[in-house]
Amino acid sequence: MTLTKIPFTKMHGLGNNYIYLNCLEASPENPEDLAIKVSDRNFGIGSDGLVLIMGSEQADFRMRMFNSDGSEAQMCGNAVRCVAKYLYEKNLTKLTSIKLETKAGIKILNLKLKNNLVTEVSVDMGAPILKSKLIPVASEEPQLTNYPIEFFGEQFKVNAVSMGNPHLVIFVPEITDRLVLQLGPKIEHHPLFPERINVEFAKIINRQTIAMRVWERGSGETQACGTGACAVAVASALNNLSDRQVTIKLLGGDLDINWQENDHVIMTGPAEFVCDGEFYY
């Protein structure tokens, strides 16, 4: 069997790490299988998934992303910031405002530079989706905001929000391993969510600060989730638990989220290179 040598870059946004491939000229076959192999932290490179950077007919560039279980995701806030840094610092563009096509639509990435390096990226994540059928949630309720529901014998008030991918936000007095690591995967696969769901457990610190941990659909607990942070900010504002501009504190660091009056959510945070390398596939 002949193996192909593929160059890669590993990057992270607040610890949410992916393998990035330059696919502007050619894309690998079967990226679903490739994502599983490179993500394996014992037998692969180790990551939360795989990101393909591609050309686009609708925008400046296109991104496809795959979770560590091989499933394709619509969107990842941390990954799009890394794509912006990758494109600029690897001299694939000199644009400081990049239009990026994703499965959740075209996102605008605005780069903050210092000494010609990208220090921060602000992303216009668009407007949140709150209608149950569009998230999707298999419920007759048109919208789940502070909605009481029982999961596996426990009562919670939940908030369903899509930021191009589905999220369920649950505000709790304390965020525990039991909630995230035991209840999180059960909720992800609950029949109420036909496309599975990302689950955020959030604790209000004050009106400008919220702590959260996330169980990500297809990847398990990660250090950060950009779309999840946006969903938490939207849910907290809807419930009058916080202002519309907040800092979300994740395991990997902080994201600044601003739910603007025009209904668009702006996410601002860092992106970092880890290493370049080659693997055989």
Side-chain angles (χ1 to χ4, degrees), residues 34 229 263 278:
L34 181 58
D263 204 29
E278 297 175 332

Side-chain angles (χ1 to χ4, degrees), residues 175-196:
I175 306 170
T176 66
D177 284 349
R178 185 189 68 82
L179 287 173
V180 179
L181 303 179
Q182 295 181 27
L183 191 60
K186 292 180 180 179
I187 295 176
E188 176 195 353
H189 293 277
H190 193 281
L192 191 60
F193 311 109
E195 296 181 9
R196 297 187 292 164

Side-chain angles (χ1 to χ4, degrees), residues 39-50:
S39 299
D40 192 299
R41 297 188 187 273
N42 294 308
F43 298 100
I45 302 166
S47 69
D48 294 322
L50 175 71

Side-chain angles (χ1 to χ4, degrees), residues 188-263:
E188 176 195 353
H189 293 277
H190 193 281
L192 191 60
F193 311 109
E195 296 181 9
R196 297 187 292 164
I197 201 158
N198 302 285
V199 188
E200 285 80 29
F201 295 94
K203 175 184 177 180
I204 301 296
I205 298 175
N206 55 50
R207 290 195 64 84
Q208 293 80 38
T209 314
I210 306 170
M212 68 164 263
R213 285 171 64 183
V214 57
W215 180 268
E216 284 204 52
R217 176 183 63 166
S219 293
E221 185 176 23
T222 60
Q223 294 292 299
C225 177
T227 53
C230 294
V232 166
V234 168
S236 63
L238 286 173
N239 287 288
N240 196 27
L241 299 174
S242 74
D243 298 339
R244 292 173 71 99
Q245 185 164 358
V246 293
T247 296
I248 306 293
K249 305 188 78 64
L250 305 109
L251 293 180
D254 296 350
L255 285 174
D256 293 323
I257 311 295
N258 183 4
W259 187 15
Q260 297 182 320
E261 294 302 323
N262 66 2
D263 204 29

